[in-house]
């Protein structure tokens, strides 16, 4: 059912052609912007194009969110030099993954701007119009939140670009201004989107619960703890999302969009052209090992679990079941969160990329309350997550100690889901944690570079050099790169 969500449409800053149908249906003719956006179905397809492009936005998100942290590393003998730079905190502005993220992000934003900018003039059901506008604003906010955390100040494009020359007029905007727009978009989305969808073909779209959850994360990132606690409490109090009883069931490819998942990038196996997830092949070692670790195709070794993360789980912690090991020229640890036993070809798994889930909401709420000195609700929400993991409840009453415990719970609970690096930066621990990690593993050629360190300027990434060269008057490089 979830596979029916996204038709294949193509656009960049200018949406050039559109096709009707779903994954297995393709256009018989080409339509232009001038004659396409005239009825509600056209706007649904425009939105679907934005959803579909999330696969590009999140294709290498683990490189930004996990590879740069102490949780994940790249097996260097696969010679993935672009990824090795992230692994060793030695990222150059010409790294192609930077430009890929930049371009795919602004392509999604462009699609959202077209929908939000044109739909007001269309005669259609008003509730549906508000919903489509809310979806566009949620997706735009999500992408800008990713961009501002990765690059810092970025161009803020909120209207449709109709001529290529217009693009050169956008300079980098202060991150405070970008965050203000993100907050406004999410407030608007939360006010107009439904809490849940009842039609099967709509399941997986953005909801008001997703908008509130993301807004809570934004407030937490901005250290607006009362606002974060309040909006996250609305999510918790809604009774709509919930923890699944068994941790590993959250990630089953046969249990998509389950009650714990609030928003995810959708994938589907067995379609032509291929619409499957590549992460199951990425996480597997890239050499023969003593067990089957991927159902079809070869492992890439670009998304391996560090020894440090694997050894951070206690024996009783059931979340450790999501991490497996295999032996080749070394002992490998890897996550099972993206394993799909039903695939018949490489990079074609049905596992979605989870952006927001309820355990994340509980731990964010715990952090927001604790930072205000409200230890009791903080403990309550953190212990809900610990209980599911078969761990005893914490009875910590000290704010500083609880802060450390919440951070550790986030690491263990949300591992390999693209959160760790941004958690470290948000809490001011990136330099301390990563420099200690690099020192501990400096003799391991795979897990850390021999002389790797994190400097202050490396808490954000370089602007793609291509973008700076393309528009040097408006797009300036981040200091230190």
């Amino acid at each position: 059912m979830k596979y029916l969500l996204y038709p294949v449409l193509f656009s960049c800053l200018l949406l050039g052609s559109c096709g009707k149908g779903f994954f297995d249906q393709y256009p018989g003719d080409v339509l232009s912007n001038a004659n396409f956006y005239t009825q509600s179905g056209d706007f649904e397809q425009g939105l679907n194009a934005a959803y579909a492009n999330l696969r590009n936005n999140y294709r290498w998100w683990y490189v930004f969110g996990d590879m740069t942290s102490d949780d994940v590393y790249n097996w260097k003998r696969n010679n993935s030099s672009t990824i090795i730079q992230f692994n060793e905190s030695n990222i150059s502005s010409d790294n192609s993954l930077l430009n890929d993220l930049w371009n795919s992000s602004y392509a999604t934003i462009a699609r959202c701007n077209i929908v939000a900018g044109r739909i007001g003039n269309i005669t259609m059901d008003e509730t549906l119009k508000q919903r489509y506008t809310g979806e566009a604003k949620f997706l735009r906010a999500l992408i800008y939140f990713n961009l501002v955390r990765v690059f810092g100040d970025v161009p803020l494009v909120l209207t449709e670009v109709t001529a290529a020359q217009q693009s050169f007029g956008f300079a980098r905007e202060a991150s405070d201004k970008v965050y203000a727009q993100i907050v406004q978009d999410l407030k608007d989305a939360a006010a107009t989107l439904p809490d849940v969808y009842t039609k099967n073909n709509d399941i997986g779209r953005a909801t008001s619960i997703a908008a509130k959850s993301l807004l809570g994360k934004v407030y937490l990132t901005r250290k607006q703890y009362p606002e974060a606690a309040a909006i996250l409490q609305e999510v918790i109090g809604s009774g709509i999302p919930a923890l699944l009883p068994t941790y590993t069931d959250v990630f089953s490819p046969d249990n998509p969009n389950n009650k714990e998942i609030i928003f995810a990038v959708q994938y589907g196996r067995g379609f032509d052209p291929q619409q499957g997830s590549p992460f199951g092949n990425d996480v597997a070692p890239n050499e023969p090992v003593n067990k089957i670790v991927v159902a079809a195709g070869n492992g890439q070794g670009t998304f391996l679990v560090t020894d440090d993360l694997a050894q951070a789980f206690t024996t009783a912690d059931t979340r450790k079941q999501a991490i497996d090991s295999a032996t080749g020229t070394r002992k490998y640890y890897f996550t099972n969160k993206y394993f799909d036993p039903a695939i018949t070809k490489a990079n074609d798994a049905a596992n979605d990329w989870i952006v927001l889930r309820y355990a994340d909401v509980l731990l964010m709420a715990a952090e927001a309350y604790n930072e205000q000195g409200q230890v009791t609700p903080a403990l309550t929400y953190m212990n809900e997550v610990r209980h599911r993991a078969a761990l005893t409840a914490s009875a910590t009453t000290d704010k500083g100690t609880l802060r450390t415990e919440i951070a550790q719970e986030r690491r263990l609970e949300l591992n390999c889901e693209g959160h760790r690096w941004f958690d470290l930066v948000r809490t001011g621990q990136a330099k301390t944690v990563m420099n200690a990690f690099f020192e501990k593993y400096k003799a391991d050629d795979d897990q850390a570079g021999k002389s790797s360190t994190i400097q202050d300027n490396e808490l954000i990434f370089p602007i793609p050099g291509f973008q700076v060269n393309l528009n040097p008057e408006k797009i300036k490089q981040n200091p230190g790169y």
Side-chain angles (χ1 to χ4, degrees), residues 66 181 468:
D66 295 311
Q181 183 63 48
V468 175

Side-chain angles (χ1 to χ4, degrees), residues 1 7 42 86 91 95 120 199 213 220 252 256 286 299 318 376 391 405 407 462:
M1 293 179 288
D42 299 342
F86 288 84
I91 306 166
N95 189 295
K199 293 182 179 179
S213 299
L220 197 65
S252 169
N286 188 27
T318 58
T376 299
L391 300 176
E405 290 185 8

Side-chain angles (χ1 to χ4, degrees), residues 134-145:
E135 288 183 71
K137 288 186 175 183
F138 171 85
L139 294 175
R140 183 169 70 183
L142 173 64
I143 298 305
Y144 268 121
F145 184 48

Side-chain angles (χ1 to χ4, degrees), residues 102 106 109 143-157 170-175 177-178 182 463 475 478:
W102 183 282
Y106 280 103
I109 289 167
I143 298 305
Y144 268 121
F145 184 48
N146 289 345
L147 283 171
V148 76
R149 289 185 296 164
V150 170
F151 298 115
D153 301 348
V154 292
L156 186 59
V157 186
F170 293 100
R172 296 178 68 186
E173 298 283 0
S175 58
K177 184 175 181 179
V178 179
I182 292 168
I463 300 296
I475 307 298
N478 283 327

Side-chain angles (χ1 to χ4, degrees), residues 24-196:
D24 53 353
Q25 298 174 330
Y26 291 87
D29 55 359
V30 175
L31 303 173
S32 71
N33 279 349
N35 64 10
F36 182 68
Y37 287 98
T38 60
Q39 56 188 336
S40 63
D42 299 342
F43 287 92
E44 181 181 25
Q45 288 205 55
L47 268 177
N48 289 349
Y51 280 106
N53 203 53
L54 292 179
R55 296 196 194 102
N56 294 323
N57 303 148
Y58 281 89
R59 172 60 184 96
W60 298 107
W61 190 246
Y62 70 80
V63 175
F64 292 88
D66 295 311
M67 184 70 61
T68 46
S69 79
D70 50 348
D71 282 0
V72 168
Y73 71 97
N74 172 76
W75 190 67
K76 292 187 176 61
R77 280 166 284 183
N78 63 20
N79 294 318
S80 299
S81 58
T82 55
I83 299 178
I84 291 171
Q85 287 185 9
F86 288 84
N87 201 157
E88 297 185 348
S89 186
N90 186 30
I91 306 166
S92 64
S93 63
D94 63 354
N95 189 295
S96 62
L97 296 187
L98 298 171
N99 208 50
D100 288 348
L101 180 64
W102 183 282
N103 286 339
S104 66
S105 296
Y106 280 103
T108 299
I109 289 167
R111 296 171 187 187
C112 294
N113 287 342
I114 291 172
V115 171
R118 293 194 178 201
I119 200 168
N121 297 323
I122 302 300
T123 300
M124 58 179 288
D125 178 82
E126 189 61 30
T127 300
L128 192 59
K129 179 185 289 189
Q130 292 298 316
R131 196 196 95 186
Y132 286 168
T133 303
E135 288 183 71
K137 288 186 175 183
F138 171 85
L139 294 175
R140 183 169 70 183
L142 173 64
I143 298 305
Y144 268 121
F145 184 48
N146 289 345
L147 283 171
V148 76
R149 289 185 296 164
V150 170
F151 298 115
D153 301 348
V154 292
L156 186 59
V157 186
L158 302 175
T159 57
E160 180 181 353
V161 175
T162 57
Q165 192 61 33
Q166 287 179 258
S167 301
F168 292 93
F170 293 100
R172 296 178 68 186
E173 298 283 0
S175 58
D176 285 346
K177 184 175 181 179
V178 179
Y179 271 113
Q181 183 63 48
I182 292 168
V183 169
Q184 187 60 57
D185 276 352
L186 291 175
K187 286 181 176 180
D188 291 346
T192 57
L193 292 175
D195 289 345
V196 296

Side-chain angles (χ1 to χ4, degrees), residues 284-306:
N286 188 27
E287 67 163 324
V289 291
N290 64 339
K291 63 171 67 174
I292 296 175
V293 296
V294 63
N298 297 319
Q300 298 302 308
T302 57
F303 194 0
L304 295 166
V305 170
T306 62

